[in-house]
Coordinates of all heavy atoms in Angstrom, one line a residue:
M1 N 61.4 36.4 40.2 CA 60.1 36.1 39.6 C 60.0 36.7 38.2 O 60.3 37.9 38.0 CB 59.0 36.6 40.5 CG 57.6 36.2 40.0 SD 56.4 36.6 41.2 CE 55.0 35.9 40.4
N2 N 59.6 35.9 37.3 CA 59.5 36.4 35.9 C 58.1 36.5 35.5 O 57.2 36.1 36.2 CB 60.3 35.6 34.9 CG 59.9 34.1 35.0 OD1 58.8 33.8 35.5 ND2 60.7 33.3 34.4
G3 N 57.8 37.1 34.4 CA 56.5 37.3 33.9 C 55.7 36.1 33.5 O 54.5 36.0 33.5
K4 N 56.5 35.0 33.1 CA 55.8 33.8 32.7 C 55.1 33.1 33.9 O 54.0 32.6 33.7 CB 56.9 32.8 32.2 CG 56.3 31.5 31.6 CD 57.4 30.7 31.1 CE 56.8 29.4 30.5 NZ 57.8 28.5 30.0
N5 N 55.6 33.2 35.1 CA 55.0 32.6 36.3 C 53.8 33.5 36.7 O 52.9 32.9 37.4 CB 56.0 32.5 37.4 CG 57.0 31.4 37.1 OD1 56.8 30.5 36.3 ND2 58.2 31.5 37.7
L6 N 53.8 34.7 36.4 CA 52.7 35.6 36.8 C 51.3 35.2 36.2 O 50.3 35.3 36.9 CB 53.0 37.0 36.4 CG 52.1 38.1 36.9 CD1 52.1 38.2 38.4 CD2 52.5 39.5 36.3
F7 N 51.3 34.7 35.0 CA 50.1 34.3 34.3 C 49.9 32.8 34.2 O 49.3 32.3 33.3 CB 50.0 35.0 33.0 CG 49.9 36.5 33.1 CD1 51.0 37.3 32.8 CD2 48.7 37.0 33.4 CE1 50.9 38.6 32.9 CE2 48.6 38.4 33.5 CZ 49.7 39.2 33.3
D8 N 50.5 32.0 35.2 CA 50.3 30.6 35.1 C 49.1 30.2 35.9 O 49.1 30.2 37.1 CB 51.6 30.0 35.8 CG 51.5 28.4 35.7 OD1 50.8 27.9 34.9 OD2 52.2 27.8 36.5
F9 N 48.0 29.9 35.2 CA 46.7 29.6 35.8 C 46.5 28.1 35.9 O 45.4 27.7 36.2 CB 45.6 30.3 35.0 CG 45.6 31.8 35.0 CD1 45.9 32.5 33.9 CD2 45.4 32.5 36.2 CE1 45.9 33.9 33.9 CE2 45.5 33.8 36.2 CZ 45.7 34.5 35.1
G10 N 47.5 27.3 35.6 CA 47.3 25.8 35.7 C 46.8 25.3 37.0 O 45.9 24.5 37.1
P11 N 47.4 25.8 38.2 CA 46.9 25.3 39.5 C 45.5 25.7 39.8 O 44.7 25.0 40.4 CB 47.9 25.9 40.5 CG 49.2 26.2 39.7 CD 48.7 26.5 38.3
A12 N 45.1 26.9 39.3 CA 43.7 27.3 39.5 C 42.7 26.5 38.7 O 41.7 26.1 39.3 CB 43.5 28.8 39.1
F13 N 43.1 26.2 37.5 CA 42.2 25.3 36.7 C 42.2 23.9 37.2 O 41.2 23.2 37.2 CB 42.6 25.3 35.2 CG 42.2 26.6 34.6 CD1 43.2 27.3 33.8 CD2 41.0 27.2 34.7 CE1 42.9 28.5 33.2 CE2 40.7 28.4 34.1 CZ 41.6 29.0 33.3
G14 N 43.3 23.4 37.7 CA 43.4 22.1 38.3 C 42.6 22.0 39.6 O 42.0 20.9 39.9
Y15 N 42.4 23.1 40.3 CA 41.6 23.1 41.5 C 40.1 22.9 41.1 O 39.4 22.2 41.8 CB 41.7 24.4 42.2 CG 40.9 24.5 43.5 CD1 41.4 23.9 44.7 CD2 39.7 25.3 43.6 CE1 40.7 24.0 45.8 CE2 39.0 25.4 44.7 CZ 39.5 24.7 45.9 OH 38.8 24.8 47.0
F16 N 39.7 23.4 40.0 CA 38.3 23.2 39.6 C 38.0 21.8 39.0 O 36.9 21.3 39.2 CB 37.9 24.2 38.5 CG 37.5 25.6 39.0 CD1 38.4 26.6 39.0 CD2 36.2 25.8 39.5 CE1 38.0 27.9 39.5 CE2 35.8 27.0 39.9 CZ 36.7 28.0 39.9
F17 N 39.0 21.2 38.4 CA 38.7 20.0 37.6 C 39.4 18.8 38.1 O 39.6 17.8 37.4 CB 39.0 20.2 36.1 CG 38.3 21.3 35.5 CD1 38.9 22.5 35.1 CD2 36.9 21.3 35.3 CE1 38.2 23.5 34.5 CE2 36.2 22.3 34.8 CZ 36.9 23.4 34.4
R18 N 39.9 18.8 39.4 CA 40.6 17.6 39.9 C 39.6 16.5 40.3 O 38.4 16.8 40.6 CB 41.5 18.0 41.0 CG 40.7 18.5 42.3 CD 41.7 18.8 43.3 NE 41.0 19.5 44.4 CZ 41.5 20.1 45.4 NH1 42.8 20.3 45.4 NH2 40.8 20.7 46.3
K19 N 40.1 15.3 40.3 CA 39.3 14.1 40.7 C 39.3 14.0 42.2 O 40.1 14.5 42.9 CB 39.9 12.9 40.1 CG 40.1 12.9 38.6 CD 38.8 12.8 37.9 CE 39.0 12.7 36.4 NZ 37.9 13.1 35.6
H20 N 38.2 13.3 42.7 CA 38.1 13.0 44.1 C 39.1 11.9 44.5 O 39.3 10.9 43.9 CB 36.7 12.5 44.4 CG 36.4 12.1 45.8 ND1 36.4 13.0 46.8 CD2 36.3 10.9 46.3 CE1 36.2 12.4 47.9 NE2 36.1 11.1 47.7
D21 N 39.8 12.2 45.6 CA 40.8 11.3 46.1 C 40.1 10.4 47.2 O 39.8 11.0 48.3 CB 42.0 12.1 46.7 CG 43.1 11.2 47.2 OD1 43.1 10.0 46.9 OD2 44.0 11.7 47.8
P22 N 40.0 9.1 47.0 CA 39.3 8.3 48.0 C 40.1 8.1 49.2 O 39.5 7.7 50.3 CB 39.1 7.0 47.2 CG 40.1 7.0 46.2 CD 40.3 8.4 45.8
N23 N 41.4 8.3 49.2 CA 42.2 8.1 50.4 C 42.2 9.3 51.4 O 42.6 9.2 52.5 CB 43.7 7.9 50.0 CG 43.8 6.6 49.2 OD1 43.1 5.6 49.4 ND2 44.7 6.6 48.2
R24 N 41.6 10.4 50.9 CA 41.6 11.6 51.8 C 40.2 11.7 52.5 O 39.2 11.7 51.8 CB 41.9 12.8 51.0 CG 42.0 14.1 51.8 CD 42.4 15.3 51.0 NE 41.8 15.3 49.6 CZ 42.0 16.3 48.8 NH1 42.8 17.2 49.0 NH2 41.4 16.2 47.6
K25 N 40.3 11.9 53.8 CA 39.0 12.0 54.5 C 38.5 13.4 54.4 O 39.2 14.4 54.3 CB 39.2 11.7 56.0 CG 39.6 10.3 56.3 CD 39.7 10.1 57.8 CE 40.1 8.6 58.1 NZ 40.2 8.4 59.5
T26 N 37.1 13.5 54.2 CA 36.5 14.8 54.1 C 35.4 14.9 55.2 O 34.9 13.9 55.7 CB 35.8 15.0 52.7 OG1 34.9 14.0 52.6 CG2 36.9 14.9 51.6
N27 N 35.1 16.2 55.5 CA 34.0 16.4 56.4 C 33.3 17.6 55.9 O 33.6 18.2 54.9 CB 34.5 16.6 57.9 CG 35.5 17.8 58.0 OD1 35.6 18.6 57.0 ND2 36.2 17.9 59.1
F28 N 32.2 18.0 56.6 CA 31.3 19.1 56.1 C 32.1 20.4 56.0 O 31.9 21.1 55.0 CB 30.1 19.2 57.1 CG 29.3 20.4 56.8 CD1 28.4 20.3 55.7 CD2 29.3 21.5 57.5 CE1 27.6 21.3 55.3 CE2 28.5 22.6 57.1 CZ 27.6 22.5 56.1
N29 N 32.9 20.7 57.0 CA 33.7 22.0 57.0 C 34.6 22.1 55.8 O 34.7 23.1 55.1 CB 34.5 22.1 58.2 CG 33.6 22.3 59.4 OD1 32.5 22.8 59.3 ND2 34.1 21.9 60.6
L30 N 35.3 21.0 55.4 CA 36.2 21.0 54.3 C 35.4 21.1 53.0 O 35.8 21.8 52.1 CB 37.0 19.7 54.3 CG 38.2 19.6 53.3 CD1 39.2 20.7 53.6 CD2 38.8 18.3 53.4
K31 N 34.3 20.4 52.9 CA 33.5 20.5 51.7 C 32.9 21.9 51.5 O 32.9 22.4 50.4 CB 32.3 19.5 51.7 CG 32.8 18.0 51.5 CD 31.5 17.1 51.6 CE 32.0 15.7 51.5 NZ 30.8 14.8 51.6
T32 N 32.5 22.5 52.6 CA 32.0 23.8 52.5 C 33.0 24.8 52.1 O 32.8 25.7 51.3 CB 31.4 24.2 53.9 OG1 30.4 23.2 54.2 CG2 30.7 25.6 53.9
M33 N 34.2 24.7 52.7 CA 35.3 25.6 52.4 C 35.7 25.5 50.9 O 35.8 26.5 50.2 CB 36.6 25.2 53.2 CG 37.8 26.1 52.9 SD 39.3 25.5 53.5 CE 39.5 24.1 52.5
H34 N 35.8 24.3 50.3 CA 36.1 24.1 48.9 C 35.0 24.7 48.0 O 35.2 25.3 47.0 CB 36.3 22.7 48.6 CG 37.7 22.2 49.0 ND1 38.9 22.7 48.6 CD2 38.0 21.3 50.0 CE1 39.9 22.1 49.2 NE2 39.4 21.2 50.0
F35 N 33.7 24.5 48.4 CA 32.6 25.1 47.7 C 32.7 26.6 47.6 O 32.5 27.2 46.6 CB 31.3 24.6 48.2 CG 30.1 25.3 47.6 CD1 29.7 25.0 46.3 CD2 29.4 26.3 48.3 CE1 28.6 25.6 45.7 CE2 28.3 26.9 47.7 CZ 27.9 26.6 46.4
I36 N 32.9 27.2 48.8 CA 33.0 28.7 48.9 C 34.2 29.2 48.0 O 34.1 30.2 47.4 CB 33.1 29.1 50.3 CG1 31.7 28.9 51.0 CG2 33.4 30.6 50.4 CD1 31.7 29.1 52.5
N37 N 35.3 28.5 48.1 CA 36.5 28.9 47.3 C 36.2 28.8 45.8 O 36.5 29.8 45.1 CB 37.7 28.0 47.6 CG 38.3 28.3 48.9 OD1 38.1 29.4 49.5 ND2 39.1 27.4 49.4
K38 N 35.5 27.8 45.4 CA 35.2 27.6 43.9 C 34.2 28.7 43.5 O 34.3 29.3 42.4 CB 34.7 26.2 43.6 CG 35.7 25.2 43.7 CD 35.1 23.8 43.5 CE 36.2 22.7 43.6 NZ 35.7 21.4 43.4
L39 N 33.2 29.0 44.4 CA 32.2 30.0 44.1 C 32.8 31.3 44.0 O 32.5 32.1 43.1 CB 31.1 29.9 45.1 CG 30.0 30.9 45.0 CD1 29.2 30.5 43.7 CD2 29.1 30.9 46.2
S40 N 33.7 31.7 44.9 CA 34.3 33.0 44.9 C 35.2 33.2 43.6 O 35.3 34.2 43.0 CB 35.1 33.3 46.1 OG 36.2 32.4 46.3
M41 N 36.0 32.1 43.3 CA 36.8 32.2 42.1 C 36.0 32.4 40.8 O 36.3 33.1 39.9 CB 37.7 31.0 41.9 CG 38.9 31.1 42.9 SD 40.2 29.8 42.5 CE 39.4 28.4 43.2
A42 N 34.8 31.6 40.7 CA 34.0 31.7 39.6 C 33.3 33.1 39.5 O 33.3 33.7 38.4 CB 32.9 30.7 39.7
M43 N 32.9 33.7 40.6 CA 32.3 35.0 40.7 C 33.4 36.0 40.2 O 33.1 37.0 39.5 CB 31.8 35.4 42.0 CG 30.5 34.6 42.4 SD 30.0 34.9 44.1 CE 29.6 36.6 44.0
F44 N 34.6 35.9 40.7 CA 35.7 36.8 40.3 C 35.9 36.8 38.8 O 36.0 37.8 38.1 CB 37.0 36.5 41.0 CG 38.1 37.2 40.6 CD1 38.3 38.6 40.9 CD2 39.1 36.7 39.7 CE1 39.4 39.3 40.5 CE2 40.2 37.4 39.3 CZ 40.3 38.7 39.7
L45 N 35.9 35.6 38.2 CA 36.2 35.5 36.8 C 35.0 36.0 36.0 O 35.2 36.7 34.9 CB 36.4 34.0 36.4 CG 37.7 33.4 36.9 CD1 37.8 31.9 36.6 CD2 38.9 34.1 36.3
V46 N 33.8 35.8 36.4 CA 32.6 36.4 35.7 C 32.7 37.9 35.8 O 32.4 38.6 34.8 CB 31.3 35.8 36.3 CG1 30.1 36.6 35.9 CG2 31.1 34.4 36.0
C47 N 33.0 38.5 37.0 CA 33.1 39.9 37.1 C 34.2 40.5 36.3 O 34.0 41.6 35.7 CB 33.2 40.3 38.6 SG 31.8 40.0 39.6
L48 N 35.3 39.8 36.2 CA 36.4 40.2 35.3 C 36.0 40.2 33.9 O 36.3 41.2 33.2 CB 37.6 39.3 35.5 CG 38.9 39.7 35.0 CD1 39.4 41.0 35.8 CD2 39.9 38.6 35.2
L49 N 35.2 39.2 33.4 CA 34.7 39.2 32.1 C 33.7 40.4 31.8 O 33.8 41.0 30.7 CB 34.1 37.9 31.7 CG 35.1 36.7 31.6 CD1 34.3 35.4 31.4 CD2 36.0 36.9 30.4
V50 N 32.9 40.6 32.8 CA 31.9 41.7 32.6 C 32.6 43.1 32.5 O 32.3 43.9 31.7 CB 30.9 41.7 33.8 CG1 30.1 43.0 33.8 CG2 30.0 40.5 33.7
M51 N 33.6 43.3 33.4 CA 34.4 44.5 33.3 C 35.1 44.6 32.0 O 35.2 45.7 31.4 CB 35.3 44.6 34.5 CG 34.7 44.8 35.8 SD 35.8 44.7 37.2 CE 37.0 45.9 36.9
L52 N 35.7 43.6 31.5 CA 36.4 43.6 30.2 C 35.4 43.9 29.1 O 35.7 44.7 28.2 CB 37.1 42.3 30.0 CG 37.9 42.2 28.7 CD1 39.1 43.1 28.8 CD2 38.4 40.7 28.6
F53 N 34.2 43.3 29.2 CA 33.2 43.5 28.1 C 32.8 44.9 28.1 O 32.6 45.6 27.1 CB 32.0 42.6 28.4 CG 30.9 42.7 27.4 CD1 31.1 42.2 26.1 CD2 29.7 43.3 27.7 CE1 30.0 42.3 25.2 CE2 28.7 43.5 26.8 CZ 28.9 42.9 25.5
R54 N 32.5 45.5 29.3 CA 32.1 46.9 29.4 C 33.2 47.9 28.9 O 32.9 48.9 28.4 CB 31.7 47.3 30.8 CG 30.4 46.7 31.3 CD 30.1 47.1 32.7 NE 28.8 46.5 33.1 CZ 28.3 46.7 34.3 NH1 28.9 47.4 35.2 NH2 27.1 46.2 34.5
Y55 N 34.5 47.5 29.2 CA 35.6 48.4 28.8 C 35.7 48.4 27.2 O 36.0 49.4 26.7 CB 36.9 47.9 29.4 CG 38.1 48.6 29.0 CD1 38.3 49.9 29.5 CD2 39.0 48.1 28.1 CE1 39.4 50.7 29.2 CE2 40.1 48.9 27.7 CZ 40.3 50.1 28.2 OH 41.4 50.9 27.9
V56 N 35.5 47.2 26.6 CA 35.6 47.1 25.2 C 34.5 47.9 24.5 O 34.6 48.6 23.5 CB 35.6 45.6 24.7 CG1 35.5 45.5 23.2 CG2 36.9 45.0 25.2
L57 N 33.3 47.8 25.0 CA 32.1 48.5 24.5 C 32.0 49.8 25.1 O 32.0 50.8 24.9 CB 30.8 47.7 24.8 CG 30.7 46.4 24.0 CD1 29.4 45.8 24.4 CD2 30.8 46.6 22.6

């Protein structure tokens, strides 16, 4: 594993901005799981920015 792959955030951003696939069946549990995953990633990024902002100031 090299350092270039360590900071490859393409799949994470793709998870946030992908299109709805009409061929894939969804149910309430799957929708809830994806919502919780997106919410937790967004909260992590916000907290990371807050910590970085506090460290700089």
Side-chain angles (χ1 to χ4, degrees):
M1 182 170 186
N2 56 15
K4 185 178 180 182
N5 292 336
L6 187 62
F7 294 103
D8 183 20
F9 296 113
F13 289 130
Y15 182 77
F16 275 101
F17 302 113
R18 66 180 171 195
K19 303 286 185 202
H20 176 69
D21 185 8
N23 296 327
R24 186 172 40 178
K25 293 183 179 182
T26 60
N27 59 14
F28 176 75
N29 293 333
L30 189 61
K31 289 180 184 180
T32 304
M33 180 195 67
H34 285 295
F35 173 74
I36 291 171
N37 284 344
K38 289 178 184 181
L39 181 65
S40 65
M41 283 192 284
M43 288 175 62
F44 173 76
L45 291 175
V46 168
C47 291
L48 195 64
L49 289 174
V50 168
M51 289 174 58
L52 183 66
F53 181 73
R54 287 182 179 178
Y55 179 74
V56 170
L57 294 179

